[in-house]
Amino acid sequence: MPKTGRPTSKDVAHAAGVSQSTVSIVLAGKAAGRISDATAQAVRQAADRLGYRPNLAARSLRLGQTRTVLLVVPTLSSLFFGAIYTGAARAAAEHGFGVVVYPWPDVSGPARSPFAAAHEAIDGILASSMAVGVLDGLDPLPRVMLDSDPRGEAPTVNFDVAEGMRAVAAHLAALGHRRIGHLAAAVDAWTFRERAGVLSAAVRGRPGAGLVREFTEIEIGAAREAAGRLLDRPDRPTALVCDDDLVAAGACKAARALGLDVPGDVSVTGFDDMLLAKAVEPELTTVRLPAEELGARGMAALLELLDGRRPASVSLPGELVVRASTAAPRRP
Amino acid sequence: MPKTGRPTSKDVAHAAGVSQSTVSIVLAGKAAGRISDATAQAVRQAADRLGYRPNLAARSLRLGQTRTVLLVVPTLSSLFFGAIYTGAARAAAEHGFGVVVYPWPDVSGPARSPFAAAHEAIDGILASSMAVGVLDGLDPLPRVMLDSDPRGEAPTVNFDVAEGMRAVAAHLAALGHRRIGHLAAAVDAWTFRERAGVLSAAVRGRPGAGLVREFTEIEIGAAREAAGRLLDRPDRPTALVCDDDLVAAGACKAARALGLDVPGDVSVTGFDDMLLAKAVEPELTTVRLPAEELGARGMAALLELLDGRRPASVSLPGELVVRASTAAPRRP
DNA sequence: CGTCCGCCGTCATACGTATCACTAAAGTGT
DNA sequence: ACACTTTAGTGATACGTATGACGGCGGACG
């Protein structure tokens, strides 16, 4: 009967002339003081020769843990969440963990089957605040929240959007802008509420300054329309603060459509500093959010949590990047 | 001793007053003719009440399959591959399969551990042609290639880039362009070789037409430089054909930097029609590639393969989308 | 009345791993 | 020489599931 399928630890044991237990011990790196160097060498060689790799299902069953965590994000068709994934996956890999990602609601079929499927085989959850709805009714697995309200029960890893937004406001104030428009994301998430609150406060704090706000989906057409409404006002803002680079790109388009120059007639700022910010014309003044680092730090916190420790909540600074889309207003 | 951990099928059996086997049979949907309806009902109710969900590790161990497939792409920090993932994950979810994604080389640590980790627990591989290098030395798992040379051994699901590129060439020819520049992706992949070959042939087929080519990374700065080299030539092309929308955005920037108007002085075409194409100014004439559908069809093919059938290779048509970045040349 | 058959369900087992409890042999100290 | 420790390794078992081989219990049929 010819051998079929992948070699098991028993096969390795047979090949090396030892017991399966020994193989397990050696390959787990626990040979020190229990197995002689010679035997350990022989086992490793046999494993190598046979191309042995442990069966993860068996290991998971035995250990009661999967060394896999779930990442919940609204979508992966987005550079921002793609970067978060990349950072999270890298950090996880360094600790021998895998990441399965559940984009919600992108993949939500009629049933919640895809999530259910993923959910059975995970040890913990790393979730974006924007996907919080899907987390209801799940097992109380260890959980870390990304860019979410720090007052929640779970540890959080955040961007310091308040500081970023304050920097934007200060930058525009220094240029002499007094009528500010805010293109706010029509998404119910802590980060956007925070941005709106901080911007309002900053503008209110300056005598003679005013703020008007429109909400928009994070989509180019919608952003363009919303920006159009803002720019159509009799007291047209001289600067448009946008919650996202893509929205800012839409705002630039709206301005151009009205015959306005950016930044000559109206300044525009973005948020995120993804690839898009340098691809559009003019290049966007924006707040750089280190999304990949957010993912990595979030994963690190989750792994700490799984390890029984209590990770501290983290807040990553955003950095104002001044490019070509902001300037002093012509007629303040 | 208080119950700890998740309920098992044994717990359900106990609660329903039947054996564990019966629970397994009922919940697998194989009750017909073997278990009475009354008993089946009782089992299902007990399972529901306890919140039972099967342990996937145990199931995988028993069945020798994981109902999980691996998606290999160069990166997820890209709208294009993000869309492929989304399509693939949706198709997989419909069949109760999970997807674990391995972005390569984004997450490649010093060791190939992250991949190895993922690899142990999968039934098949769906791989982008641009990540082909990482596939060497793996178990001969069922495999479907995305956008790859159809002459390979594995089934492929492709874009018909030849047809798309021919449409671009015809569009530019109809506008009166004769000196064509090609900003080709400096990536060794079938799809780009195909594009270059088709464009060369199309231009060669028209008397009096000429083609110059520069290679570039798919990155905005590099694209800008390469486009600059093309536009600096004494016989400056009147149209720039780009292998990617991002490259096209770079080309537009280079043109503007030289004081050239797009499309007045030079036409530019992109490829992919991702979000970027409508965010830049002018909006790009490009070839729409249905990336999400590619992912979905690829996954469907892989699932067929896992089911023992032999999936047919597929070629998805790309569609020319004419927007504002192309026009007749001023001085042909 | 004996036998056979369909129905309903249980028993036992194996998947591959990690680990606890144990043993046999060799070394150590007095 | 004896008790004791250290070294090197083995045996047995459990994790939770799916399934092939059985078994009891009616009713139907000859």
Side-chain angles (χ1 to χ4, degrees), chain A residues 165 168-169 171-172 177-184 199 210-214 223-233 235-245 247-256 258 260-263 265-271 284-286 325-327:
Chain A
M165 196 51 111
V168 168
H171 171 63
L172 293 175
H177 292 274
R178 297 172 55 210
R179 291 192 307 283
I180 310 288
H182 182 201
L183 282 167
L199 183 60
L211 178 73
V212 288
R213 177 171 289 138
E214 283 277 345
R224 201 168 157 169
E225 283 176 34
R229 288 196 296 275
L230 238 36
L231 295 173
D232 251 351
R233 301 171 61 103
D235 58 337
R236 185 174 67 221
T238 59
L240 258 32
V241 174
C242 305
D243 269 0
D244 189 284
D245 288 343
V247 172
C252 290
K253 279 189 172 301
R256 229 172 337 247
L258 291 169
L260 299 172
D261 178 57
V262 178
D265 297 306
V266 55
S267 289
V268 173
T269 70
F271 228 99
L284 295 174
T285 292
T286 187
S325 69
T326 49

Side-chain angles (χ1 to χ4, degrees), chain B residues 186-200:
Chain B
V187 176
D188 181 31
W190 171 83
T191 183
F192 296 122
R193 287 194 297 273
E194 186 84 351
R195 295 178 201 190
V198 167
L199 183 59
S200 294

Side-chain angles (χ1 to χ4, degrees), chain B residues 21-307:
Chain B
S21 327
T22 306
V23 173
S24 182
I25 291 167
V26 169
L27 296 184
K30 299 182 178 170
R34 305 188 31 79
I35 308 291
S36 74
D37 285 359
T39 307
Q41 278 298 330
V43 168
R44 272 188 282 264
Q45 277 179 19
D48 230 48
R49 189 157 42 77
L50 296 182
Y52 168 76
R53 265 161 304 157
N55 180 314
L56 251 49
R59 175 177 287 173
S60 291
L61 178 58
R62 176 68 230 248
L63 296 180
Q65 54 161 38
T66 59
R67 296 191 81 77
T68 297
V69 301
L70 178 70
L71 174 66
V72 184
V73 291
T75 176
L76 269 183
S77 296
S78 144
L79 293 174
F80 186 73
F81 290 109
I84 286 182
Y85 167 85
T86 299
R90 180 174 291 135
E94 282 168 10
H95 292 78
F97 273 70
V99 176
V100 32
V101 51
Y102 180 61
W104 179 88
D106 260 13
V107 178
S108 70
R112 53 186 212 96
S113 56
F115 183 62
H119 180 233
E120 313 312 326
I122 58 172
D123 292 340
I125 299 177
L126 184 60
S128 158
S129 62
M130 289 173 222
V132 75
V134 82
L135 297 176
D136 299 340
L138 296 189
D139 291 350
L141 255 43
R143 186 177 303 177
V144 169
M145 298 299 299
L146 293 177
D147 213 22
S148 166
D149 192 335
R151 291 179 312 248
E153 336 72 40
T156 58
V157 177
N158 282 350
F159 292 125
D160 188 350
V161 288
E163 191 50 41
M165 196 49 111
R166 270 194 286 269
V168 169
H171 170 64
L172 293 176
L175 288 172
H177 292 274
R178 297 171 57 210
R179 289 192 307 283
I180 309 289
H182 183 201
L183 282 168
V187 176
D188 181 31
W190 171 83
T191 183
F192 296 122
R193 287 194 297 273
E194 186 84 351
R195 295 178 201 190
V198 167
L199 183 59
S200 294
V203 172
R204 236 186 348 256
R206 284 193 301 128
L211 178 73
V212 287
R213 176 171 291 139
E214 283 276 346
F215 289 89
T216 174
E217 302 292 319
I218 301 181
E219 190 269 319
I220 192 121
R224 200 168 158 170
E225 283 175 35
R229 288 197 295 276
L230 239 33
L231 295 173
D232 252 352
R233 301 170 61 102
D235 58 337
R236 183 172 68 221
T238 60
L240 257 32
V241 174
C242 305
D243 270 359
D244 188 282
D245 288 343
L246 185 61
V247 172
C252 290
K253 280 190 172 299
R256 228 170 340 244
L258 291 170
L260 300 172
D261 178 58
V262 177
D265 298 305
V266 54
S267 289
V268 173
T269 70
F271 228 99
D272 289 2
D273 194 27
M274 295 285 111
L275 172 152
L276 187 65
K278 286 207 293 192
V280 299
E281 188 72 27
E283 298 189 2
L284 295 174
T285 294
T286 187
V287 176
R288 172 174 301 156
L289 299 183
E292 200 168 316
E293 187 177 356
L294 185 81
R297 300 286 282 268
M299 183 58 69
L302 180 55
L303 294 178
E304 272 190 57
L305 198 59
L306 292 179
D307 203 37

Side-chain angles (χ1 to χ4, degrees), chain A residues 9 24 52 59 62:
Chain A
S9 59
S24 184
Y52 167 76
R59 174 177 290 172
R62 177 67 229 252

Side-chain angles (χ1 to χ4, degrees), chain A residues 118-139:
Chain A
H119 181 231
E120 311 312 325
I122 58 172
D123 292 339
I125 300 178
L126 184 61
S128 159
S129 62
M130 291 174 218
V132 75
V134 81
L135 297 176
D136 299 340
L138 295 189
D139 290 350

Side-chain angles (χ1 to χ4, degrees), chain A:
Chain A
M1 177 181 102
K3 253 331 256 183
T4 172
R6 289 229 311 253
T8 73
S9 59
K10 209 173 294 184
D11 297 328
V12 174
H14 188 77
V18 298
S19 75
Q20 182 265 331
S21 328
T22 305
V23 172
S24 184
I25 292 168
V26 169
L27 297 184
K30 299 180 180 172
R34 306 188 29 77
I35 307 291
S36 73
D37 286 359
T39 308
Q41 278 298 331
V43 167
R44 273 188 281 265
Q45 277 179 21
D48 229 50
R49 190 157 41 79
L50 296 181
Y52 167 76
R53 266 162 303 159
N55 180 316
L56 251 47
R59 174 177 290 172
S60 291
L61 177 58
R62 177 67 229 252
L63 296 182
Q65 53 162 38
T66 59
R67 294 191 81 76
T68 296
V69 302
L70 179 69
L71 175 67
V72 185
V73 290
T75 175
L76 269 185
S77 296
S78 143
L79 292 175
F80 185 74
F81 291 108
I84 286 182
Y85 167 85
T86 300
R90 180 176 292 135
E94 282 168 10
H95 292 78
F97 274 70
V99 176
V100 32
V101 50
Y102 180 61
W104 178 87
D106 259 14
V107 177
S108 70
R112 56 188 209 94
S113 56
F115 184 61
H119 181 231
E120 311 312 325
I122 58 172
D123 292 339
I125 300 178
L126 184 61
S128 159
S129 62
M130 291 174 218
V132 75
V134 81
L135 297 176
D136 299 340
L138 295 189
D139 290 350
L141 254 46
R143 188 178 300 177
V144 169
M145 299 297 301
L146 292 177
D147 213 22
S148 168
D149 192 334
R151 291 179 311 251
E153 336 73 41
T156 58
V157 176
N158 283 352
F159 292 124
D160 187 351
V161 289
E163 192 48 44
M165 196 51 111
R166 269 192 287 269
V168 168
H171 171 63
L172 293 175
L175 289 172
H177 292 274
R178 297 172 55 210
R179 291 192 307 283
I180 310 288
H182 182 201
L183 282 167
V187 176
D188 180 31
W190 170 83
T191 183
F192 296 123
R193 287 194 298 272
E194 185 83 351
R195 295 178 202 191
V198 166
L199 183 60
S200 294
V203 172
R204 236 187 349 255
R206 283 191 302 127
L211 178 73
V212 288
R213 177 171 289 138
E214 283 277 345
F215 288 89
T216 173
E217 303 292 319
I218 301 181
E219 190 269 318
I220 191 120
R224 201 168 157 169
E225 283 176 34
R229 288 196 296 275
L230 238 36
L231 295 173
D232 251 351
R233 301 171 61 103
D235 58 337
R236 185 174 67 221
T238 59
L240 258 32
V241 174
C242 305
D243 269 0
D244 189 284
D245 288 343
L246 185 60
V247 172
C252 290
K253 279 189 172 301
R256 229 172 337 247
L258 291 169
L260 299 172
D261 178 57
V262 178
D265 297 306
V266 55
S267 289
V268 173
T269 70
F271 228 99
D272 290 2
D273 194 28
M274 294 286 109
L275 172 153
L276 188 64
K278 287 206 292 190
V280 299
E281 189 73 26
E283 299 190 2
L284 295 174
T285 292
T286 187
V287 176
R288 172 174 302 154
L289 299 184
E292 201 169 314
E293 188 178 355
L294 186 82
R297 300 286 283 266
M299 182 58 68
L302 180 55
L303 294 179
E304 271 189 57
L305 198 60
L306 292 179
D307 203 36
R309 284 170 293 166
R310 226 192 95 30
S313 286
V314 178
S315 190
L316 299 178
E319 179 195 356
L320 179 68
V321 181
V322 178
R323 294 208 186 89
S325 69
T326 49
R330 249 173 224 160
R331 330 143 286 148

